[in-house]
Amino acid sequence: MQSHGRFLWMMQGMFKANGGCGYVKKPDVLLTNGPGGEIFDPCSQNLPIKTTLKLKIYTGEGWNMDFPLHHFDRYSPPDFYAKVGIAGVPLDTASYRTEVDTDEWFPIWDKEFEFPLRVPELALLCITVKDYDSNTQNDFAGQICLPLSEVRPGVRAVRLHDRAGEVYKHVRLLMRFVLEPL
């Protein structure tokens, strides 16, 4: 049995495509050869940027309804931060972090990120929220991985999952997505 963690979350995220039926067709970039007969090389430095994903993470809510009040910190509200990243071909892989919103059950980050993508067909958007602790390991507060093909432009309430991939009842992030074709 594979343990719960980042790689299992990415696998679960990949299979959210196609309605979560368990089958995802390979993208055309993996099935066809290039115009000169060359085979796709994910490590190539010559891949052009096809699209740019701009996302803005506004706020989060629902932790106070899905967790006991003393789950994260014993004497104060949690100090949440979000880590946003792309998993894909090496040139597309990147991650960024918001600032820590101190002592807030409803964190407001209002932070924008930009990801230039060369192979968006293979890109997964991964978001993890944690409670920052200065003297111990940061506490897990939720995660989601989505294939870029499932991301729709506009303002969205993105529901988060626990470590096992089960959806939290109330925890969600308010985000805006913009996909700019080049």
Side-chain angles (χ1 to χ4, degrees):
M1 170 92 183
Q2 188 173 5
S3 63
H4 299 294
R6 183 174 171 264
F7 295 109
L8 184 59
W9 300 339
M10 288 176 9
M11 189 61 65
Q12 289 171 338
M14 185 178 75
F15 284 103
K16 284 182 183 158
N18 199 16
C21 72
Y23 172 79
V24 179
K25 185 179 181 253
K26 280 187 181 181
D28 288 337
V29 71
L30 296 177
L31 295 173
T32 58
N33 291 343
E38 65 273 356
I39 297 173
F40 173 72
D41 179 12
C43 296
S44 173
Q45 298 294 318
N46 300 328
L47 295 171
I49 295 174
K50 288 185 184 175
T51 188
T52 300
L53 170 66
K54 292 181 180 180
L55 66 88
K56 186 168 189 173
I57 182 166
Y58 293 105
T59 186
E61 68 172 2
W63 287 281
N64 62 328
M65 292 185 274
D66 284 346
F67 292 94
L69 290 179
H70 301 293
H71 178 81
F72 297 107
D73 292 328
R74 190 165 186 86
Y75 300 109
S76 67
D79 309 319
F80 290 125
Y81 69 90
K83 187 175 179 183
V84 180
I86 293 288
V89 299
L91 287 175
D92 288 348
T93 302
S95 69
Y96 303 101
R97 217 180 106 156
T98 64
E99 298 295 321
V100 174
D101 196 1
T102 307
D103 292 336
E104 278 296 329
W105 279 104
F106 302 96
I108 298 173
W109 295 294
D110 206 25
K111 182 78 173 165
E112 191 163 346
F113 303 101
E114 188 172 310
F115 298 96
L117 301 170
R118 289 157 179 81
V119 189
E121 302 93 334
L122 299 177
L124 285 171
L125 172 64
C126 299
I127 304 167
T128 307
V129 178
K130 292 188 176 184
D131 168 44
Y132 175 77
D133 292 318
S134 60
N135 53 358
T136 61
Q137 185 175 355
N138 295 336
D139 299 316
F140 176 83
Q143 60 84 20
I144 180 116
C145 285
L146 293 169
L148 202 63
S149 61
E150 296 294 305
V151 173
R152 299 290 172 250
V155 176
R156 304 279 181 238
V158 179
R159 295 180 70 184
L160 295 184
H161 299 73
D162 64 11
R163 287 184 190 277
E166 299 297 321
V167 179
Y168 286 126
K169 191 172 184 180
H170 299 99
V171 178
R172 55 186 45 96
L173 300 175
L174 183 64
M175 302 179 71
R176 180 179 48 116
F177 299 99
V178 176
L179 289 164
E180 294 180 348
L182 297 177

